Amino acid sequence: MTTDSLREAASALRHARDVVVFTGAGVSAESGIPTFRDDSGLWQQFPPDHFATVGGLMKTAVSDPQRLAEFLLAVLEPITSARVNAAHRAIADLERHVNVTVITQNIDGLHQLAGSTVVHEVHGSMFEIVTLKGRFVRLLSRSEMQQIVDDLREVVERGASLVKVIGAVKPMLGLSGRGAHRPKVVLFGEEMAEPDWSQALARVEKCDCLMSIGTSGAVMPAASLPRDARDRGATVIDVNLQPGAADFQLAGCAAEIVPRLVESAFGDENM
Ligand code: NAD
C-alpha cells in the first residue's frame, strides 16, 4: 500500500455522508480469532462438509464426538478470549465523524464491545440463543461462554462421549423448558440472519461509501454487498492482506491500516 493510495482513500472517506463498514474474519484476526479460509484457517483442520452444515455436524456428533468436541473448542475458545483490536476501535471511532453502519459476517460480538452502535450481524452471533425456528431465547454472557469452554476442554482432555459433549454445551445447544435451542449462527445452506440481512441490504442501497475489511468475498450472498454498493455508485475501499476489486485497494493488516485511514481522513477534526 502506498501513502498516496491511503491518502486518496482517506479523502473519499472524508467526503462521504453515509458509510457502510462491511467486515469479515480478517478484522478479528489480530484479536486472536483465526479466519476460516486462510492457509492456517479452521477449514484446513475441520472440513466444512463435516463441520459447517447441520447434517454434517449431526453425523460427526454420532460417529466421532471427540472430533466434534475439538471443533467446538477450536471455534469457541478464541472467541471467548478475544479482545477488541485497533481496527474495531477505529471503526467505532468513525461514528464521531460520519453516519456509520457496521455490517459484519462475524459472530464474535467484537464490534459492539468496541463501541459501534449500529451493527447488523448477517451471519448471526455466537452469543445469541434462539429456538430452532429462530425465535430469540436469551443472550449468553462471556462468563457463561468461558464456562462452556472450560467444560469442553475437560471433555477433550479426558476423552469425549456424545453425552459429555452435550452436557458441556447445554447452555447454548440442547433442550430446555422452551424446547430445543441453538446459537443464532448461520451454517452453510441456511437462511441469512434476520432482520439483520434485510436491514443490511437497505443500508447498502443508501450508502455513498463502503469499506470492506478483512473479507475474502467467498461467502455468498454477503459477498455481493460491495459489488451492489459499487453498482449503485458508492465508493468502495477494500482493506485486506490481499485486496480485491474496489476503487481503493489497501493491502495490509486491518489493525494497522484502518486506524491510519480514519486518522488520515478525520485526524485534524480531533485537534
Ligand atoms: P474468510 O476466512 O473467508 O477470509 C478472511 C479474509 O481476511 C481473507 O481475505 C484474508 O486475506 C483476510 N485477512 C486475514 N487476516 C487479515 C488481517 N489481519 N487484516 C486484513 N485482512 C485479513 O472470512 P470471511 O470472508 O469473513 O468469511 C468466513 C465466514 O466465517 C464468515 O461468514 C464468518 O461468519 C465466519 N467467521 C467468523 C469469524 C469471527 O467471528 N471472528 C472468524 C472466522 C470465520
Side-chain angles (χ1 to χ4, degrees):
M1 186 195 59
T2 65
T3 310
D4 281 352
S5 57
L6 183 91
R7 204 178 294 133
E8 285 167 18
S11 171
L13 184 59
R14 185 166 49 245
H15 291 102
R17 281 172 294 106
D18 215 329
V19 176
V20 162
V21 178
F22 174 57
T23 63
V27 80
S28 295
E30 297 296 307
S31 295
I33 305 177
T35 64
F36 282 180
R37 278 181 190 70
D38 293 316
D39 288 346
S40 56
L42 199 75
W43 296 147
Q44 301 296 327
Q45 292 175 63
F46 299 99
D49 284 355
H50 297 175
F51 294 97
T53 65
V54 173
L57 282 168
M58 281 167 68
K59 268 191 206 152
T60 307
V62 174
S63 65
D64 197 346
Q66 179 74 21
R67 278 298 275 162
L68 178 68
E70 288 166 6
F71 168 72
L72 292 171
L73 192 58
V75 172
L76 297 176
E77 194 164 34
I79 289 180
T80 307
S81 53
R83 300 284 176 266
V84 300
N85 69 50
H88 299 111
R89 280 193 290 271
I91 292 164
D93 185 50
L94 202 53
E95 287 186 18
R96 296 195 295 118
H97 308 285
V98 62
N99 191 23
V100 181
T101 301
V102 177
I103 300 174
T104 188
Q105 299 166 85
N106 294 343
I107 53 175
D108 56 28
L110 289 179
H111 286 299
Q112 293 91 329
L113 267 189
S116 286
T117 54
V118 186
V119 182
H120 300 314
E121 297 170 306
V122 296
H123 289 160
S125 165
M126 203 46 111
F127 295 92
E128 188 172 339
I129 305 303
V130 292
T131 65
L132 297 191
K133 288 194 171 157
R135 187 169 298 172
F136 177 80
V137 175
R138 69 188 191 96
L139 291 178
L140 268 188
S141 68
R142 285 191 180 256
S143 61
E144 284 176 292
M145 191 73 97
Q146 184 62 58
Q147 187 60 56
I148 292 170
V149 166
D150 292 344
D151 292 348
L152 267 176
R153 197 181 303 110
E154 200 177 314
V155 167
V156 166
E157 282 166 8
R158 295 191 174 183
S161 67
L162 186 51
V163 171
K164 286 184 188 164
V165 180
I166 290 171
V169 298
K170 201 171 162 209
M172 63 163 42
L173 187 64
L175 279 171
S176 68
R178 294 168 71 176
H181 59 261
R182 57 171 280 186
K184 186 181 177 181
V185 167
V186 176
L187 298 174
F188 283 19
E190 293 191 307
E191 300 287 313
M192 299 294 274
E194 290 291 1
D196 298 57
W197 177 239
S198 299
Q199 291 165 335
L201 290 173
R203 289 300 298 118
V204 166
E205 269 188 30
K206 286 208 284 178
C207 74
D208 57 356
C209 178
L210 182 145
M211 284 167 67
S212 171
I213 305 174
T215 179
S216 63
V219 183
M220 291 300 278
S224 64
L225 295 180
R227 199 188 52 228
D228 289 353
R230 215 167 167 211
D231 288 349
R232 289 174 181 280
T235 302
V236 174
I237 301 169
D238 192 17
V239 179
N240 197 308
L241 299 179
Q242 294 156 341
D247 299 293
F248 300 101
Q249 302 180 353
L250 305 180
C253 172
E256 185 208 326
I257 292 184
V258 180
R260 280 176 62 197
L261 181 62
V262 174
E263 172 67 20
S264 177
F266 300 107
D268 47 356
E269 288 184 13
N270 294 330
M271 290 192 282

